[in-house]
Each structure stands twice: as structure tokens, then as C-alpha cells.
């Protein structure tokens, strides 16, 4: 019983010890990006120091002075309402903080003005701080249009995949999918959206696309808009969605390199020189002069003797290797070298008979002898 009571007490003590450690990190993760200014008003030619915290670590930010804007509604008309030529870029540190001096310049539209800070690449994040440009015109904000208002309810995503043709340089294509809702009091018919694609730090190129349909007040609709890049495009792209002059969402898009194009050029560099070499060799072989004289073939003499045990080719080689006869006018029948006996004499008395003088009295066994008459 005592052991059962100690376990819950130990768990409670550990929770109380770990709660102060986890609370700051949770609060830091929940804090949105913020911007602070060293002064709230300055004239043209001056400067203001902009500091921020709560941003993504090592993020590239753009700082601008924009007119006809307030922090609650954002920058009306996008960056067209900002002094883009006098903007400054800054990179946050490892803790998501930054500090940058910004020159004061008049925006192209009247104030109220803000210092607008937004991410350039990666996930979209922005923050505004009220700022007054001394000596610049101030006009009230235009009234919001009565009727329906479209708002993005869900995160955007890109559906689709690259095929074999894209691997060989065909234009990459996707479908931008998102859900919008009508937060106004009147229906929205056939809304016109602007879809922009940007590469790196370059400004997006906008294209108007109309969605056919009607969104009733308080209703929502699933929107699908096609997105296509140029042929051979690769790298990190950002797809932006704008409606009513305000950027509503951004979606990153990583496009792979078309390695099929690289493989094609490698094959061209290998095949074309080989084909040119073959054609050149064929031309050289056709235009070179032909030899008119024929080589005389060495013929064997007519009465060639056949050597037993040798094949026809071996006999031909043997006949070519043997020297010609020194006495060609002799025939095998009257050749003097063939009538004599070339072997050594034998011990059978033949040599004695040949060397002995001729004796008439010697008789041949085959010759009969005649006796004298008595």
C-alpha cells in the first residue's frame, strides 16, 4: 500500500520539475515573428533600425517601407505599394533574431505606412510595424468592397508528378489545390486568382486564372489551378497565390534536374564523331586509286608428286619449299641416277664374281654343256 502511494507522488514531483523547463521552449515555438523599430517617424534621407525575433533560423528576409497599409490588414496591393529600390535584405541568426538599418524612402502610394518584413525563400512568414514617413502624403485607406470576401481555409499543396518527358526537358506541371471560404455577405461568382512562380530570390511572374463556380456566403469550395514551368526548369521554385491584390498563400516546389538532356548530349558527343569518322573512311576508300596489275600466282609443275601422309595444303608448301630439279630434260625413265644401285654391296659373293676375270669354262647353271665325241 505504501509503495502504491509513493509512485504517484514521484510522478507528480517529476512533472513539477520538468514543467518550468518545457514551458519556455513551448512559448518560444508559439511566438509569431515580430518587428520593432528604433523610431516611429523619420524623414526622407534618414534611417531607422529594424530588429526582429521569432523568425526561422538562418532565414533570408526582405525589409521594405510600404504605403497604404496597416498591420491588421497587411500590405494592400502587394509589393507594388512599397519602396522596393530602397529595401534591404538581412539573414537571421541561429536563434531567429536580426538587426538592420533601413534608409527612409517615400513609397509610391500615400501613407498610412508600415515597415514590412517578409521571408524571401522557404515557408512564408511576414510581420509589419507602423511607421510614419515625415512629409509624405497621408490618405485614409480605401473602403473594403462590400459583398463576398474569399479567404484561404487550408494549406495549399501541389498534386501531380513528373513523367519520362519531364526527365528529358519537358515543362514540369503540377496542380495547385487549396480550399477557400466566403466570409462575406454576398456570393462570389467566378473568382479570378493570380498564380505566380518565382525561382530563388527573383520576383514571381503572375498569371491570371479564373475558377468557374459560385461560393455562397459562409460556404467553401475546393479550388484546383494548373501550374506549369518553362521547359528544362530545375531547382527551388515558389508558387504564390494572390486574390484581390493580396498574396494569400505560398507553396515551395523543388524541381529535379532533367538528366535525360545531359545523357542525350553525351550520346551526341560520342555518336557524331564516330559517324563522321566512318563516313570519312568510306570516302577515302572510294577516291583512292585502284591497283591495275595483278600478282602472278606461283603454280606447281604439272607432274607434282604426291607425298603420302600429307594434306593438300601441306603438299603445296612442301613443293614450294623443295628446290627445282637441276636436270629438267631427264625423265624419270632415263635419269642416270636411278639405274645404278645406291645401296652398299652385300657379302653374298656378288662382288667377287663381278671383279673376277671372265672364264669361258665357267658354266652357267642354265646353259647346257656339250661333250666332245670320243
Amino acid at each position: 500500500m505504501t509503495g502504491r502511494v509513493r509512485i504517484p507522488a514521484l510522478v507528480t514531483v517529476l512533472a513539477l520539475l520538468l514543467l518550468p523547463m518545457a514551458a519556455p521552449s513551448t512559448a518560444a515555438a508559439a511566438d509569431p515573428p515580430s518587428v520593432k523599430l528604433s523610431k516611429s517617424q523619420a524623414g526622407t534621407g534618414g534611417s531607422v533600425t529594424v530588429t526582429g525575433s521569432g523568425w526561422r533560423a538562418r532565414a533570408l528576409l526582405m525589409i521594405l517601407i510600404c504605403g497604404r497599409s496597416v498591420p491588421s490588414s497587411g500590405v494592400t496591393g502587394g509589393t507594388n505599394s512599397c519602396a522596393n529600390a530602397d529595401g534591404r535584405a538581412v539573414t537571421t541568426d541561429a536563434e531567429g533574431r536580426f538587426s538592420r538599418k533601413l534608409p527612409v524612402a517615400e513609397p509610391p502610394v500615400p501613407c498610412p505606412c508600415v515597415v514590412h518584413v517578409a521571408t524571401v525563400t522557404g515557408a512564408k512568414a511576414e510581420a509589419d510595424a507602423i511607421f510614419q514617413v515625415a512629409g509624405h502624403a497621408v490618405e485614409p485607406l480605401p473602403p473594403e468592397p462590400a459583398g463576398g470576401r474569399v479567404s484561404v481555409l487550408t494549406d495549399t499543396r501541389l498534386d501531380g508528378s513528373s513523367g519520362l518527358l519531364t526527365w528529358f526537358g519537358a515543362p514540369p506541371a503540377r496542380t495547385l489545390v487549396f480550399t477557400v471560404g466566403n466570409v462575406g455577405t454576398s456570393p462570389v461568382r467566378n473568382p479570378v486568382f493570380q498564380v505566380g512562380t518565382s525561382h530563388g530570390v527573383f520576383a514571381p511572374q503572375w498569371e491570371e486564372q479564373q475558377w468557374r463556380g459560385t461560393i455562397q456566403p459562409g460556404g467553401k469550395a475546393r479550388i484546383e489551378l494548373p501550374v506549369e514551368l518553362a521547359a528544362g526548369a530545375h531547382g527551388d521554385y515558389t508558387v504564390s497565390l494572390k486574390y484581390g491584390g493580396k498574396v494569400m498563400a505560398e507553396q515551395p516546389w523543388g524541381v529535379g534536374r532533367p538528366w535525360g538532356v545531359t545523357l542525350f548530349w553525351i550520346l551526341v558527343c560520342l555518336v557524331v564523331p564516330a559517324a563522321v569518322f566512318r563516313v570519312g573512311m568510306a570516302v577515302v576508300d572510294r577516291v583512292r586509286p585502284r591497283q591495275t596489275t595483278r600478282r602472278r600466282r606461283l603454280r606447281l609443275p604439272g607432274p607434282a608428286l604426291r607425298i603420302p601422309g600429307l594434306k593438300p595444303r601441306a603438299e603445296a608448301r612442301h613443293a614450294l619449299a623443295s628446290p627445282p630439279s637441276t636436270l629438267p630434260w631427264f625423265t624419270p625413265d632415263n635419269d642416270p641416277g636411278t639405274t645404278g644401285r645406291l645401296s652398299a654391296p652385300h657379302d653374298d659373293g656378288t662382288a667377287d664374281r663381278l671383279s673376277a676375270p671372265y672364264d669361258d669354262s665357267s658354266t652357267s647353271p642354265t646353259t647346257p654343256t656339250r661333250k666332245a665325241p670320243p
Side-chain angles (χ1 to χ4, degrees), residues 1-189:
M1 186 69 180
T2 305
R4 295 180 181 179
V5 175
R6 289 180 180 178
I7 293 177
L10 181 60
V11 172
T12 304
V13 173
L14 291 176
L16 293 176
L17 292 176
L18 295 176
L19 184 60
M21 300 175 61
S25 60
T26 306
D31 288 342
S34 61
V35 176
K36 294 182 180 180
L37 307 178
S38 60
K39 58 183 75 172
S40 61
Q41 182 177 352
T44 304
S47 62
V48 58
T49 301
V50 184
T51 58
S53 60
W55 297 84
R56 190 173 66 252
R58 308 300 181 187
L60 179 62
L61 308 178
M62 179 61 70
I63 307 175
L64 300 171
I65 296 179
C66 303
R68 198 178 291 170
S69 304
V70 291
S72 59
S73 62
V75 179
T76 305
T79 55
N80 294 330
S81 304
C82 305
N84 297 314
D86 298 295
R88 293 293 183 269
V90 65
T91 303
T92 60
D93 57 11
E95 298 180 357
R97 295 193 295 262
F98 72 91
S99 178
R100 188 75 161 87
K101 184 175 288 188
L102 177 68
V104 178
E106 294 184 355
V109 294
C111 285
C113 299
V114 296
V115 174
H116 179 69
V117 182
T119 56
V120 177
T121 58
K124 180 178 175 57
E126 58 184 13
D128 300 325
I130 298 176
F131 183 74
Q132 179 63 38
V133 180
H136 192 58
V138 179
E139 295 181 1
L141 294 175
E144 294 184 2
R149 291 184 301 167
V150 175
S151 177
V152 177
L153 302 180
T154 60
D155 294 336
T156 59
R157 71 175 188 272
L158 293 173
D159 290 347
S161 60
S162 300
L164 181 62
L165 295 180
T166 306
W167 199 67
F168 282 94
R174 295 290 189 276
T175 301
L176 182 64
V177 182
F178 56 96
T179 302
V180 297
N182 186 358
V183 296
T185 58
S186 61
V188 178
R189 295 181 176 87

Side-chain angles (χ1 to χ4, degrees), residues 185-200:
T185 58
S186 61
V188 178
R189 295 181 176 87
N190 301 329
V192 178
F193 298 93
Q194 288 182 316
V195 179
T197 55
S198 59
H199 182 49

Side-chain angles (χ1 to χ4, degrees), residues 264-336:
F264 170 78
W265 286 113
I266 292 175
L267 293 178
V268 167
C269 294
L270 294 177
V271 173
V272 171
V276 172
F277 176 76
R278 293 288 298 267
V279 171
M281 293 302 296
V283 171
V284 170
D285 185 68
R286 182 173 294 273
V287 300
R288 68 179 180 179
R290 298 290 183 178
Q291 295 181 1
T292 57
T293 60
R294 297 182 178 178
R295 297 181 180 178
R296 295 182 178 179
R297 297 181 178 178
L298 182 60
R299 296 183 178 179
L300 297 176
L305 299 179
R306 183 178 181 86
I307 302 176
L310 294 179
K311 295 182 179 180
R313 292 186 178 180
E315 292 178 2
R317 288 196 299 269
H318 181 74
L320 292 176
S322 60
S325 178
T326 55
L327 300 176
W329 53 87
F330 286 104
T331 60
D333 297 335
N334 57 8
D335 189 358

